[in-house]
Amino acid sequence: MSHAVEIVEVGPRDGLQNEPGVIATARKVALVDTLSRVGFRRIEVASFVSPKWVPQMADSAEVLAGIARAPGVRYGALAPNLRGFEAALAAQADEVAIFGAASEGFSQANLNCSIDESFARFAPICAAAAEAALPVRGYVSCVTECPYDGPTPPEAVARVAARLRALGCYEVSLGETLGRATPRAVARMLEAVLAELPAAELAGHFHDTAGRALANIDAALDAGLRVFDASAGGLGGCPYAPGAAGNVATEAVAAHLAAAGYETGLDRDALDRAAQMARALRRKERA
Ligand code: HMG
Ligand code: MG
């Protein structure tokens, strides 16, 4: 098994979408530009969703227009429907991500539709993306537990992951949305998913509410996964619970992987600068 591990930086999207209040576009652009010097190959920077649902991402086109694109870095955006895909394409996102859920309750809460209905929206996105030669990444939320439906059966995750792959997603990121999973539950879930997809087409996306995200990453490494999503400075968290943890912090994941002998190819000084900037942005926002 390879000792190279890729960290996908998702802070400018998954982190900032959860921050309370409005963050100036220029500050988001500055954060992305700092992250562009760290050595990531993929940074998720935007989300073309309804601004009524997620006002924090309303300036996504401006963010993509304002950043200095570094060579070798792909700048990604979320798209929930064809309209979002067209906006991402117009803003020159390098790839898009569609996002489904393994539970009906979360699908309804997040996308206002059932799982089947969400796939009816994803299919034309994937067709249009293929035409435009844009890679599509897929997310599955609530891979171990759903806030509305309770524990998620591993087979439900495997089914949704397989449907995303069948639509043409080059990779499926498994979202532990609540951040409360145990490594045992993660291992059980992965066993079911790996019966459908190879580890090389999977990523782990762990939130860190219970402080077990690194242990969960270890469980996923044991299962063969080599791509993990993370947010510099641990950006994110619940707007209704100030201080609650969001995505696992990129700098913590990088240090953890380095200690275990994995290569991430990231410049640790540049990452520390980006993490400091992310934390300062969050402090200013909450001051
Ligand atoms: P809806 O209300 O069912 O859809 O929302 P609609 O078609 O009736 O549209 C409602 C309004 O949104 C209309 O505007 C549309 O024009 C507009 P109005 O007439 O009310 O003024 N609209 C759009 N505006 C901009 N861009 C668009 C767009 N589409 C419609 N693309 C919809 C359906 C999908 C739009 C809504 O549910 C939505 O925006 N959901 C997004 C929720 C979201 O962004 N969640 C966070 C990201 S997922 C995540 O964080 C999990 C992840 O990190 C993995 C993990 O941790 O688990 C990925
Ligand atoms: Mg997330």
Side-chain angles (χ1 to χ4, degrees):
M1 206 47 90
S2 155
H3 263 59
V5 172
E6 181 183 357
I7 299 180
V8 177
E9 173 60 41
V10 297
R13 195 282 303 172
D14 205 359
L16 296 186
Q17 79 178 6
N18 285 310
E19 290 297 316
V22 178
I23 295 172
T25 307
R27 292 176 66 89
K28 296 182 180 178
V29 167
L31 176 64
V32 175
D33 285 349
T34 305
L35 288 165
S36 289
R37 292 189 274 272
V38 175
F40 299 107
R41 283 185 272 155
R42 293 181 273 170
I43 307 178
E44 199 170 69
V45 300
S47 182
F48 292 95
V49 298
S50 161
K52 287 188 185 149
W53 282 61
V54 186
Q56 294 88 339
M57 291 285 109
D59 59 351
S60 283
E62 288 79 8
V63 171
L64 273 160
I67 57 175
R69 291 169 190 243
V73 183
R74 288 203 331 235
Y75 297 91
L78 293 195
N81 51 23
L82 196 54
R83 175 168 167 193
F85 172 78
E86 280 160 2
L89 191 65
Q92 295 181 349
D94 298 311
E95 67 172 68
V96 293
I98 53 180
F99 49 105
S103 64
E104 291 292 348
F106 194 79
S107 184
Q108 286 293 348
N110 201 40
L111 291 169
N112 204 23
C113 66
S114 69
I115 295 173
D116 279 347
E117 285 163 345
S118 73
F119 274 89
R121 295 177 185 174
F122 298 155
I125 297 180
C126 291
E131 192 131 315
L134 219 62
V136 182
R137 191 174 199 234
Y139 278 108
V140 186
S141 283
C142 300
V143 294
T144 55
E145 188 187 353
C146 168
Y148 310 99
D149 298 354
T152 305
E155 298 69 32
V157 185
R159 261 195 313 275
V160 172
R163 288 177 80 173
L164 288 168
R165 185 195 199 206
L167 277 184
C169 291
Y170 73 91
E171 181 177 276
V172 175
S173 179
L174 301 166
E176 205 284 90
T177 317
L178 290 188
R180 298 196 306 222
T182 60
R184 228 177 120 93
V186 169
R188 255 201 319 270
M189 177 274 295
L190 285 174
E191 197 182 330
V193 175
L194 285 165
E196 298 286 342
L197 276 82
E201 292 181 23
L202 295 171
H205 177 108
F206 296 103
H207 286 256
D208 200 22
T209 315
R212 284 191 290 270
L214 293 177
N216 289 335
I217 285 176
D218 286 343
L221 283 165
D222 285 347
L225 273 66
R226 291 293 180 270
V227 179
F228 296 98
D229 299 346
S231 284
L235 275 180
C238 174
Y240 305 103
N247 287 105
V248 63
T250 311
E251 60 277 20
V253 180
H256 185 72
L257 291 171
Y262 292 99
E263 306 270 350
T264 59
L266 301 182
D267 176 330
R268 297 290 295 282
D269 291 339
L271 175 55
D272 285 346
R273 279 193 292 278
Q276 248 172 38
M277 190 168 185
R279 281 192 294 267
L281 191 147
R282 179 184 213 178
R283 269 199 305 277
K284 188 170 169 110
E285 197 49 47
R286 289 184 177 171

